[in-house]
Amino acid sequence: MPIEVNEQGWVLTTHRTAYAFGINQAGLLTHRYWGVRLPRLDDYPVAPSYAEKVSFYEPLTLTPEEYPPYGGARFVDPCLKVSFADGVRDVVLRFESFDVREGDVPELLIHLRDTFYPFRVTLHYRVHAAYDLVERLVTVQNDGDTPITLERIWSAQWHLPAHENYRLMHVTGRWYDEMYLRREPLVQGIKVLESRRLTTSHHHNPWFAVDDGSARESSGAVYFGLLAWSGNWKLSAEMTDFGSTRVNIGLNDWDFAWRLAPGDTFATPSSFAGYSDGGFGRASRSLHDFIRDTILPHRPVVHKVLYNSWEATEFAVDERSQIELARHAAKMGIELFVLDDGWFHGRNDDTAGLGDWWPDERKFPHGLGTLIAQVNALGMDFGLWVEPEMVNPNSDLYRTHPDWGIHFPTRARTTARNQLILNFGRTDVQEYIIAQLNRLLSENRIAFIKWDMNRNVSEPGWPDAPGDPRELWVRHVEGLYHVWSTLRERHPDVIWQSCSGGGGRADLAILRLADQVWVSDNTDAAARLAIQEGYSHIFPANTMEAWVTDVGRERLSLAFRFHVSMCGSLGVGGHLLHWTPEQRTEAAHWIALYKEIRHIIQFGDQYRLRSPQEHPFSAVQYVSKDRSEGVLFAFRTHMPPPAPVGPLYLRGLDPEAQYEIEGLDGIRSGLAWMHVGLQLVLKDFDSTVRRIWRR
Ligand code: DGJ
């Protein structure tokens, strides 16, 4: 039973793990346990209780509450902060009742209520047993007749077992340089990671992994989790002075307020978290399986090899230039041709056009239909770029509706890349964009849409907002989800890509809408190795769109560039007209090979054998779920000679079965390949791909 109840409280059990909490002697909902699953219900500790021994050691501060509100003598970072209409800002929650909802994803609801005010808080726990994940979210309801202002409402506080020296792993970066893994000790105090940019951001991602400093890729205990949200978010990892460590995650409370009117409810986004006793590798494989099986809109669909013309033609697109590229692409085995920026009304550079989503009359005098028909006749699907949340001041849309942008009326509107952001919290904006894109999708045979977003917010105002203007932070993101999901419902076969100047919007919520992500605008394959590694800690390879471009071609062979991109969902973005016939033939070879092995990469288990962020000789391996085949990629960037490199130890093979590795002598047991390993020799900026077969 994934949800078990006894007099000590509740135990949520997954395949390998358990999460327990209960009501302590003071009546507080208190954390009891998170870790490996134990044989008996009585094995789980009781909810701890604390009596006052010293006035400065407040029981409320010592107690590991599941969802501490701001109130009383609590000095931990609280999950919930509200102002009642009379000015009281102190919440006192008491357990009222619970419900269990059976189903594919069993759910436990814990109902709490304020002791004085008509304010209800429900904690939702959903158990994703097969993936060793627990999902948490919170709903609140105003049962009174005066408004309540929400000032902070996080999704979860995740408690770690008592330990002195935890280490937090997270990703940092910036545009063109995303997803760097950072590991740092958690010491007394609070470590905050956040986005204030109205989107997930290139800089940090709402994901964490915490261990005691001893976990490795394939061993050790790791607590990990994330938030499914594409707007402002906050992670606060606190180690108290009493040795308790907790990770809070949820909507960012910075500049946030929500007016909860009488009768209204508010729901937070979900946070998912898990425990792995198989190191960071198992933690990410749990997330990969979960995302592929339950989150992605088109779950088992093989992602096509695409060509994107952005780096070749930039804004200078027209029917002729695109068809020339498409002919070469088709001959190389490309399956999907994507026309990027520059195709719509008035768009010759980045100063104009955003908002006017119809084909530019000069570049496409026959509309997009002729180009699409020719692309289809070449045997490829057609895809298109859009940036729906944006508007250029130089556009028909802005001239007609200047009030639709996010702005403060008394302040100049800061442009970035010459563009402003539409307020997707407004229903008129949502309806306009839905109508524009719906027409585009209805009138044209479009199989793929790349949804871009090329700036972050400024002057986050909403004149005439129906509620508190600071609701913008949430309402804009909910509006984005509404527009996107409405279009998805009307055009269910379209595959969508999430892009925000590269990897600025990669998160679990956007992956409910988009099947793949443009991970970075940096397409230098050597740099990409590191970016791809960071990405792989959170997201599966099938979501990782990776193009082979001309960037770095002076030092990186075409083979190297292909091998890097073949580690995800392969694409090509180089200027094919500038490639020699030999290069196009070589490209066709790699594309054909990719098609043979992509089911392993896109749907198999990923093992990071050696980190490119730590070592210039790196390797990654993918193994099919039935362990009958695999594929190994190894890369060497620059290593000063002499460069001793130890063997690579494969992972994930059936220890008893016999395997052959392409290009290596002998058939050996899976156990041998995993423990004796194999030695590969590569020169600087060299790479190899080796298939693995069970014999
Ligand atoms: C940023 C994207 O990341 C690029 O791939 C490209 O689509 C440009 N925007 C187009 O403006």
Side-chain angles (χ1 to χ4, degrees), residues 117-157:
Y117 294 93
F119 180 55
R120 268 192 288 157
V121 176
T122 300
L123 310 187
H124 300 244
Y125 294 83
R126 296 180 186 149
V127 186
H128 300 273
Y131 308 96
D132 290 324
L133 292 173
V134 173
E135 173 182 356
R136 292 181 62 181
L137 66 123
V138 176
T139 50
V140 292
Q141 175 151 347
N142 180 354
D143 292 332
D145 49 20
T146 53
I148 298 171
T149 305
L150 305 175
E151 293 167 2
R152 171 185 287 183
I153 176 158
W154 283 345
S155 300
Q157 181 163 107

Short mmCIF file of all heavy atoms in Angstrom, two decimals, residues 117-157:
data_model
loop_
_atom_site.label_atom_id
_atom_site.label_comp_id
_atom_site.label_asym_id
_atom_site.label_seq_id
_atom_site.Cartn_x
_atom_site.Cartn_y
_atom_site.Cartn_z
N TYR A 117 -9.10 32.05 12.41
CA TYR A 117 -9.60 32.63 11.16
C TYR A 117 -10.16 31.53 10.25
O TYR A 117 -9.69 30.39 10.28
CB TYR A 117 -8.47 33.37 10.44
CG TYR A 117 -8.01 34.58 11.22
CD1 TYR A 117 -6.94 34.48 12.11
CD2 TYR A 117 -8.68 35.79 11.10
CE1 TYR A 117 -6.53 35.57 12.85
CE2 TYR A 117 -8.28 36.89 11.84
CZ TYR A 117 -7.21 36.77 12.71
OH TYR A 117 -6.83 37.86 13.45
N PRO A 118 -11.14 31.88 9.42
CA PRO A 118 -11.72 30.88 8.51
C PRO A 118 -10.80 30.63 7.31
O PRO A 118 -11.08 31.03 6.18
CB PRO A 118 -13.05 31.53 8.09
CG PRO A 118 -12.83 33.00 8.25
CD PRO A 118 -11.82 33.19 9.33
N PHE A 119 -9.70 30.00 7.57
CA PHE A 119 -8.64 29.82 6.59
C PHE A 119 -8.21 28.36 6.63
O PHE A 119 -7.76 27.87 7.68
CB PHE A 119 -7.48 30.75 6.97
CG PHE A 119 -6.31 30.67 6.04
CD1 PHE A 119 -6.45 30.87 4.67
CD2 PHE A 119 -5.03 30.43 6.54
CE1 PHE A 119 -5.35 30.81 3.83
CE2 PHE A 119 -3.93 30.38 5.70
CZ PHE A 119 -4.09 30.57 4.34
N ARG A 120 -8.41 27.68 5.50
CA ARG A 120 -8.08 26.25 5.44
C ARG A 120 -6.84 26.02 4.59
O ARG A 120 -6.69 26.63 3.53
CB ARG A 120 -9.23 25.47 4.82
CG ARG A 120 -10.20 24.95 5.86
CD ARG A 120 -11.13 23.97 5.26
NE ARG A 120 -12.10 24.62 4.38
CZ ARG A 120 -12.74 23.99 3.40
NH1 ARG A 120 -12.47 22.72 3.15
NH2 ARG A 120 -13.62 24.64 2.65
N VAL A 121 -6.01 25.09 5.01
CA VAL A 121 -4.79 24.73 4.27
C VAL A 121 -4.82 23.22 4.07
O VAL A 121 -4.97 22.48 5.04
CB VAL A 121 -3.53 25.13 5.08
CG1 VAL A 121 -2.27 24.66 4.37
CG2 VAL A 121 -3.51 26.63 5.33
N THR A 122 -4.72 22.79 2.83
CA THR A 122 -4.67 21.35 2.58
C THR A 122 -3.33 20.98 1.95
O THR A 122 -2.93 21.57 0.94
CB THR A 122 -5.83 20.93 1.63
OG1 THR A 122 -7.07 21.28 2.26
CG2 THR A 122 -5.81 19.44 1.36
N LEU A 123 -2.65 20.05 2.59
CA LEU A 123 -1.39 19.55 2.05
C LEU A 123 -1.70 18.30 1.23
O LEU A 123 -2.36 17.39 1.71
CB LEU A 123 -0.41 19.19 3.17
CG LEU A 123 -0.19 20.24 4.26
CD1 LEU A 123 0.94 19.77 5.19
CD2 LEU A 123 0.16 21.61 3.66
N HIS A 124 -1.22 18.31 0.00
CA HIS A 124 -1.47 17.17 -0.89
C HIS A 124 -0.17 16.39 -1.04
O HIS A 124 0.87 16.99 -1.34
CB HIS A 124 -1.89 17.64 -2.28
CG HIS A 124 -3.15 18.47 -2.29
ND1 HIS A 124 -4.30 18.06 -2.91
CD2 HIS A 124 -3.43 19.68 -1.74
CE1 HIS A 124 -5.24 18.99 -2.75
NE2 HIS A 124 -4.73 19.99 -2.05
N TYR A 125 -0.25 15.09 -0.84
CA TYR A 125 0.92 14.21 -1.05
C TYR A 125 0.49 13.16 -2.07
O TYR A 125 -0.45 12.41 -1.82
CB TYR A 125 1.31 13.49 0.24
CG TYR A 125 1.81 14.39 1.34
CD1 TYR A 125 0.92 15.06 2.18
CD2 TYR A 125 3.17 14.55 1.56
CE1 TYR A 125 1.39 15.87 3.21
CE2 TYR A 125 3.64 15.36 2.59
CZ TYR A 125 2.74 16.02 3.41
OH TYR A 125 3.20 16.82 4.42
N ARG A 126 1.20 13.11 -3.19
CA ARG A 126 0.89 12.08 -4.19
C ARG A 126 2.10 11.15 -4.28
O ARG A 126 3.24 11.61 -4.28
CB ARG A 126 0.62 12.71 -5.55
CG ARG A 126 -0.63 13.59 -5.50
CD ARG A 126 -0.92 14.22 -6.85
NE ARG A 126 -2.02 15.16 -6.68
CZ ARG A 126 -2.19 16.27 -7.40
NH1 ARG A 126 -1.32 16.58 -8.36
NH2 ARG A 126 -3.21 17.07 -7.19
N VAL A 127 1.79 9.86 -4.41
CA VAL A 127 2.88 8.88 -4.37
C VAL A 127 3.09 8.29 -5.76
O VAL A 127 2.20 7.64 -6.31
CB VAL A 127 2.54 7.76 -3.36
CG1 VAL A 127 3.74 6.82 -3.21
CG2 VAL A 127 2.17 8.35 -2.01
N HIS A 128 4.25 8.54 -6.33
CA HIS A 128 4.62 7.97 -7.63
C HIS A 128 5.55 6.80 -7.34
O HIS A 128 6.78 6.92 -7.43
CB HIS A 128 5.27 9.05 -8.50
CG HIS A 128 4.37 10.23 -8.75
ND1 HIS A 128 3.47 10.25 -9.80
CD2 HIS A 128 4.19 11.39 -8.07
CE1 HIS A 128 2.80 11.41 -9.76
NE2 HIS A 128 3.22 12.11 -8.72
N ALA A 129 4.93 5.68 -6.95
CA ALA A 129 5.68 4.58 -6.34
C ALA A 129 6.76 4.02 -7.26
O ALA A 129 7.88 3.77 -6.84
CB ALA A 129 4.70 3.49 -5.93
N ALA A 130 6.42 3.83 -8.54
CA ALA A 130 7.38 3.19 -9.45
C ALA A 130 8.62 4.04 -9.67
O ALA A 130 9.65 3.53 -10.10
CB ALA A 130 6.70 2.92 -10.79
N TYR A 131 8.51 5.33 -9.40
CA TYR A 131 9.63 6.24 -9.67
C TYR A 131 10.31 6.72 -8.39
O TYR A 131 11.18 7.58 -8.43
CB TYR A 131 9.12 7.46 -10.48
CG TYR A 131 8.36 7.02 -11.70
CD1 TYR A 131 6.96 6.93 -11.67
CD2 TYR A 131 9.03 6.63 -12.85
CE1 TYR A 131 6.26 6.48 -12.77
CE2 TYR A 131 8.33 6.17 -13.95
CZ TYR A 131 6.94 6.11 -13.90
OH TYR A 131 6.26 5.65 -14.99
N ASP A 132 9.88 6.16 -7.25
CA ASP A 132 10.44 6.58 -5.96
C ASP A 132 10.33 8.09 -5.74
O ASP A 132 11.25 8.73 -5.23
CB ASP A 132 11.90 6.13 -5.83
CG ASP A 132 12.01 4.62 -5.69
OD1 ASP A 132 11.13 4.03 -5.04
OD2 ASP A 132 12.97 4.04 -6.24
N LEU A 133 9.20 8.64 -6.14
CA LEU A 133 9.01 10.08 -6.01
C LEU A 133 7.74 10.39 -5.21
O LEU A 133 6.74 9.69 -5.35
CB LEU A 133 8.88 10.75 -7.38
CG LEU A 133 10.13 10.76 -8.26
CD1 LEU A 133 9.80 11.30 -9.63
CD2 LEU A 133 11.25 11.56 -7.62
N VAL A 134 7.83 11.42 -4.40
CA VAL A 134 6.65 11.95 -3.73
C VAL A 134 6.40 13.35 -4.29
O VAL A 134 7.34 14.12 -4.49
CB VAL A 134 6.88 12.03 -2.19
CG1 VAL A 134 5.72 12.73 -1.51
CG2 VAL A 134 7.07 10.63 -1.61
N GLU A 135 5.15 13.62 -4.59
CA GLU A 135 4.77 14.94 -5.12
C GLU A 135 4.02 15.68 -4.01
O GLU A 135 3.17 15.10 -3.34
CB GLU A 135 3.85 14.75 -6.33
CG GLU A 135 3.25 16.04 -6.87
CD GLU A 135 2.29 15.79 -8.05
OE1 GLU A 135 2.16 14.62 -8.48
OE2 GLU A 135 1.68 16.77 -8.50
N ARG A 136 4.35 16.95 -3.83
CA ARG A 136 3.63 17.75 -2.83
C ARG A 136 3.16 19.05 -3.45
O ARG A 136 3.86 19.68 -4.24
CB ARG A 136 4.53 18.06 -1.64
CG ARG A 136 4.88 16.86 -0.81
CD ARG A 136 5.76 17.23 0.36
NE ARG A 136 5.10 18.17 1.27
CZ ARG A 136 5.68 18.66 2.36
NH1 ARG A 136 6.91 18.29 2.70
NH2 ARG A 136 5.03 19.52 3.14
N LEU A 137 1.96 19.44 -3.07
CA LEU A 137 1.46 20.77 -3.39
C LEU A 137 0.50 21.17 -2.28
O LEU A 137 0.14 20.34 -1.44
CB LEU A 137 0.78 20.81 -4.75
CG LEU A 137 -0.51 20.02 -4.90
CD1 LEU A 137 -1.62 20.95 -5.35
CD2 LEU A 137 -0.34 18.92 -5.91
N VAL A 138 0.09 22.42 -2.30
CA VAL A 138 -0.74 22.95 -1.21
C VAL A 138 -1.89 23.74 -1.81
O VAL A 138 -1.70 24.48 -2.79
CB VAL A 138 0.13 23.88 -0.32
CG1 VAL A 138 -0.71 24.52 0.76
CG2 VAL A 138 1.27 23.09 0.30
N THR A 139 -3.08 23.55 -1.24
CA THR A 139 -4.19 24.43 -1.61
C THR A 139 -4.68 25.14 -0.36
O THR A 139 -4.66 24.57 0.74
CB THR A 139 -5.36 23.64 -2.25
OG1 THR A 139 -5.69 22.54 -1.41
CG2 THR A 139 -5.00 23.11 -3.62
N VAL A 140 -5.10 26.39 -0.54
CA VAL A 140 -5.64 27.12 0.61
C VAL A 140 -7.00 27.67 0.21
O VAL A 140 -7.26 27.91 -0.98
CB VAL A 140 -4.72 28.28 1.06
CG1 VAL A 140 -3.44 27.74 1.65
CG2 VAL A 140 -4.41 29.24 -0.07
N GLN A 141 -7.84 27.85 1.19
CA GLN A 141 -9.17 28.36 0.92
C GLN A 141 -9.56 29.40 1.96
O GLN A 141 -9.34 29.22 3.16
CB GLN A 141 -10.18 27.20 0.92
CG GLN A 141 -11.60 27.70 0.77
CD GLN A 141 -12.49 26.69 0.09
OE1 GLN A 141 -12.04 25.71 -0.48
NE2 GLN A 141 -13.79 26.94 0.15
N ASN A 142 -10.18 30.47 1.46
CA ASN A 142 -10.70 31.51 2.35
C ASN A 142 -12.19 31.24 2.58
O ASN A 142 -13.01 31.44 1.69
CB ASN A 142 -10.50 32.89 1.71
CG ASN A 142 -11.01 34.01 2.58
OD1 ASN A 142 -11.61 33.78 3.63
ND2 ASN A 142 -10.78 35.25 2.14
N ASP A 143 -12.54 30.76 3.77
CA ASP A 143 -13.94 30.46 4.08
C ASP A 143 -14.66 31.65 4.72
O ASP A 143 -15.82 31.54 5.12
CB ASP A 143 -14.03 29.28 5.07
CG ASP A 143 -13.59 27.98 4.42
OD1 ASP A 143 -13.74 27.85 3.18
OD2 ASP A 143 -13.07 27.11 5.14
N GLY A 144 -13.98 32.77 4.85
CA GLY A 144 -14.58 33.91 5.54
C GLY A 144 -15.19 34.92 4.60
O GLY A 144 -15.44 34.63 3.42
N ASP A 145 -15.46 36.11 5.11
CA ASP A 145 -16.07 37.13 4.25
C ASP A 145 -15.19 38.38 4.10
O ASP A 145 -15.66 39.41 3.65
CB ASP A 145 -17.48 37.48 4.74
CG ASP A 145 -17.49 37.75 6.22
OD1 ASP A 145 -16.40 38.03 6.76
OD2 ASP A 145 -18.57 37.66 6.84
N THR A 146 -13.92 38.25 4.48
CA THR A 146 -12.97 39.33 4.19
C THR A 146 -11.77 38.72 3.47
O THR A 146 -11.46 37.54 3.66
CB THR A 146 -12.48 40.02 5.49
OG1 THR A 146 -11.99 39.01 6.37
CG2 THR A 146 -13.58 40.81 6.14
N PRO A 147 -11.10 39.52 2.64
CA PRO A 147 -9.98 38.95 1.89
C PRO A 147 -8.79 38.61 2.80
O PRO A 147 -8.62 39.21 3.86
CB PRO A 147 -9.62 40.05 0.89
CG PRO A 147 -10.32 41.26 1.31
CD PRO A 147 -11.39 40.91 2.29
N ILE A 148 -8.00 37.67 2.34
CA ILE A 148 -6.75 37.31 3.02
C ILE A 148 -5.64 37.52 1.99
O ILE A 148 -5.79 37.13 0.82
CB ILE A 148 -6.78 35.82 3.45
CG1 ILE A 148 -7.92 35.58 4.45
CG2 ILE A 148 -5.45 35.38 4.03
CD1 ILE A 148 -8.17 34.11 4.76
N THR A 149 -4.55 38.14 2.40
CA THR A 149 -3.45 38.34 1.44
C THR A 149 -2.39 37.27 1.67
O THR A 149 -1.85 37.14 2.77
CB THR A 149 -2.83 39.74 1.62
OG1 THR A 149 -3.89 40.69 1.49
CG2 THR A 149 -1.78 40.01 0.57
N LEU A 150 -2.11 36.52 0.60
CA LEU A 150 -1.02 35.53 0.66
C LEU A 150 0.27 36.26 0.32
O LEU A 150 0.35 36.93 -0.72
CB LEU A 150 -1.26 34.41 -0.34
CG LEU A 150 -2.60 33.67 -0.26
CD1 LEU A 150 -2.72 32.67 -1.41
CD2 LEU A 150 -2.70 32.95 1.09
N GLU A 151 1.27 36.13 1.16
CA GLU A 151 2.55 36.80 0.90
C GLU A 151 3.66 35.80 0.60
O GLU A 151 4.68 36.14 0.03
CB GLU A 151 2.93 37.68 2.09
CG GLU A 151 1.95 38.84 2.23
CD GLU A 151 2.07 39.56 3.55
OE1 GLU A 151 2.91 39.20 4.38
OE2 GLU A 151 1.28 40.49 3.76
N ARG A 152 3.48 34.61 1.05
CA ARG A 152 4.39 33.50 0.69
C ARG A 152 3.57 32.24 0.78
O ARG A 152 2.85 32.02 1.74
CB ARG A 152 5.56 33.41 1.66
CG ARG A 152 6.37 32.14 1.45
CD ARG A 152 7.49 31.96 2.47
NE ARG A 152 8.58 32.87 2.27
CZ ARG A 152 9.71 32.84 3.01
NH1 ARG A 152 9.84 31.96 3.98
NH2 ARG A 152 10.68 33.71 2.78
N ILE A 153 3.69 31.40 -0.24
CA ILE A 153 3.02 30.10 -0.16
C ILE A 153 3.86 29.12 -0.97
O ILE A 153 3.80 29.10 -2.19
CB ILE A 153 1.53 30.17 -0.60
CG1 ILE A 153 0.91 28.79 -0.60
CG2 ILE A 153 1.33 30.89 -1.93
CD1 ILE A 153 -0.61 28.80 -0.49
N TRP A 154 4.67 28.37 -0.25
CA TRP A 154 5.57 27.42 -0.90
C TRP A 154 4.89 26.07 -1.07
O TRP A 154 3.88 25.76 -0.43
CB TRP A 154 6.87 27.31 -0.09
CG TRP A 154 7.77 28.50 -0.32
CD1 TRP A 154 7.67 29.42 -1.32
CD2 TRP A 154 8.87 28.91 0.47
NE1 TRP A 154 8.66 30.36 -1.21
CE2 TRP A 154 9.42 30.07 -0.12
CE3 TRP A 154 9.48 28.40 1.63
CZ2 TRP A 154 10.54 30.73 0.40
CZ3 TRP A 154 10.60 29.06 2.14
CH2 TRP A 154 11.11 30.20 1.54
N SER A 155 5.49 25.26 -1.90
CA SER A 155 4.88 23.96 -2.21
C SER A 155 5.24 22.91 -1.17
O SER A 155 4.45 22.01 -0.89
CB SER A 155 5.34 23.48 -3.59
OG SER A 155 4.94 24.41 -4.56
N ALA A 156 6.46 22.99 -0.64
CA ALA A 156 6.89 21.94 0.29
C ALA A 156 8.09 22.38 1.09
O ALA A 156 8.86 23.22 0.66
CB ALA A 156 7.26 20.66 -0.49
N GLN A 157 8.18 21.78 2.25
CA GLN A 157 9.45 21.80 2.99
C GLN A 157 9.88 20.34 3.07
O GLN A 157 9.15 19.50 3.59
CB GLN A 157 9.26 22.39 4.39
CG GLN A 157 10.55 22.44 5.17
CD GLN A 157 10.48 23.38 6.37
OE1 GLN A 157 10.43 22.92 7.51
NE2 GLN A 157 10.47 24.68 6.16
#
